[in-house]
Amino acid sequence: MDIQSYSIAKTFAQEGVPEAITTMGLAPSDNPFIPSINSSYVFRREPLREVLAFLNNPMGDALNVSGPTGSGKTSLICEIAGRLNWPIQSLTGRGRMEFTDLTGHYKLVSSTPGETPSMQFQYGPLAKAMMEGHICLLNEIDRIDPSELTGLNDVLEGRPLVLEQNGGEVIKPHPNFRFIATGNSVGNGDVTGLYQSVQQQDIASMDRYRFTVVQYPEPEDELEVLKGIAPTIPESILTCMIKVANDIRRSFVGEDGNGGALSVTMSTRSLCRWANLMSVYQASDNAVRYALQNSFLRRCSPSEVLAVEQLTKDTFGVSW
């Protein structure tokens, strides 16, 4: 894969950035692992700057992207990689995940349907990324048993990956290989009490990362996102929706003075779903309320439904 330079201003729609400033990417190709892009995606400058700096020169580090649920950690990486034509090998962490899920293992495989399967070694996303010069994206890293992740330590320091299960095969890291992890914490466990399955990670493992934090977008940024996906909804309605979402988020983390009255939060993903469904239900008697029920309220407890509906009613006024 050939290296190619991309103008940051043009590629990521960054006003005020000189067009002469470029970032590293790969030449366009038909590689199926290059993420699709959302043309209406709005990049926030600081996270964009930090991810691009890492992709240009990791300096022997991996990258840890942390933030609250639904704040756009994974989409940030995928939207950047898609515009830079950088393929991604991804995997989502879970409590029982083993290191071999990343590296690879033997399994029964049939080359064509109906053919008798045979045992073949299947490379995992880490091995593929190291061989091909892709990004290995490990989502929800803080859900994984920290003892399993210590197997990454040598790889994150630039040393080869040794596949003992495949006869001791040695995979040297491609120059374009990058390792990025996302999670709701920065490896020190769930200090908020909001994420029950988050585990404290090994301090030696976390020392191999540089850290980027992605919070929920600023209201003006979310407004641009919603205008892009729901252009038929008046801006005044979209503004009210964003205020409701931020009130819910403050209540979720306990910033409303009520000690975290809500056990659910409205992510940017849920907010976009609300806007999309409003476009679908515009002919209904109360499209705002009906779309909110479909996108968010039906996963809340009865008391939380009342609380969110009151927040929404107070914000929308007669529009509600």
Side-chain angles (χ1 to χ4, degrees), residues 70 77 91 234:
I77 304 303
L91 185 68

Side-chain angles (χ1 to χ4, degrees), residues 44 68-72 194-195 215-223 225-226 241-257 259-272 274 296 299 308 311:
R44 288 167 274 174
T69 180
S71 58
L194 302 174
Y195 307 101
Q215 300 291 354
Y216 291 117
E218 293 297 321
E220 56 269 23
D221 292 332
E222 281 194 318
L223 180 60
V225 171
L226 295 188
M241 293 169 63
I242 294 168
K243 183 180 184 305
V244 169
N246 282 313
D247 286 343
I248 291 172
R249 293 163 186 167
R250 281 190 287 270
S251 183
F252 175 67
V253 300
E255 292 179 354
D256 60 349
L262 296 179
S263 64
V264 291
T265 188
M266 180 170 282
S267 64
T268 301
R269 185 187 306 116
S270 296
L271 183 60
C272 291
W274 186 10
F296 185 75
R299 65 186 176 102
V308 173
L311 281 174

Side-chain angles (χ1 to χ4, degrees), residues 42-53:
V42 177
F43 288 95
R44 288 167 274 174
R45 183 158 297 188
E46 187 171 321
L48 173 64
R49 180 195 301 123
E50 293 176 1
V51 175
L52 291 180

Side-chain angles (χ1 to χ4, degrees), residues 81-242:
R83 286 163 174 78
L84 298 179
N85 295 297
W86 209 316
I88 289 180
Q89 301 287 338
S90 65
L91 185 68
T92 297
R94 58 191 186 279
R96 296 183 179 181
M97 191 177 121
E98 298 179 353
F99 187 58
T100 53
D101 292 323
L102 279 169
T103 58
H105 48 76
Y106 278 94
K107 63 187 300 185
L108 285 170
V109 177
S110 296
S111 56
T112 57
E115 182 180 321
T116 302
S118 61
M119 290 295 291
Q120 299 179 28
F121 188 82
Q122 300 292 299
Y123 292 103
L126 175 63
K128 291 177 182 177
M130 291 184 69
M131 288 188 291
E132 302 294 334
H134 298 178
I135 295 170
C136 182
L137 178 60
L138 180 54
N139 289 307
E140 309 292 355
I141 188 174
D142 43 16
R143 262 69 173 176
I144 304 171
D145 185 334
S147 64
E148 292 293 334
L149 291 175
T150 57
L152 282 171
N153 290 356
D154 285 346
V155 168
L156 299 187
E157 290 189 351
R159 288 193 279 272
L161 173 66
V162 180
L163 300 176
E164 295 178 359
Q165 302 93 332
N166 199 31
E169 179 183 3
V170 177
I171 299 176
K172 294 184 178 181
H174 190 286
N176 297 339
F177 166 65
R178 304 288 187 269
F179 188 90
I180 301 177
T182 71
N184 297 125
S185 73
V186 290
N188 55 0
D190 178 22
V191 298
T192 66
L194 302 174
Y195 307 101
Q196 288 76 19
S197 62
V198 163
Q199 301 188 53
Q200 184 170 348
Q201 297 299 311
D202 185 84
I203 188 172
S205 296
M206 291 296 101
D207 193 47
R208 290 164 167 83
Y209 293 85
R210 65 174 78 170
F211 292 85
T212 292
V213 177
V214 178
Q215 300 291 354
Y216 291 117
E218 293 297 321
E220 56 269 23
D221 292 332
E222 281 194 318
L223 180 60
E224 291 303 312
V225 171
L226 295 188
K227 287 165 66 175
I229 66 173
T232 61
I233 298 177
E235 185 172 323
S236 59
I237 297 295
L238 297 177
T239 301
C240 287
M241 293 169 63
I242 294 168

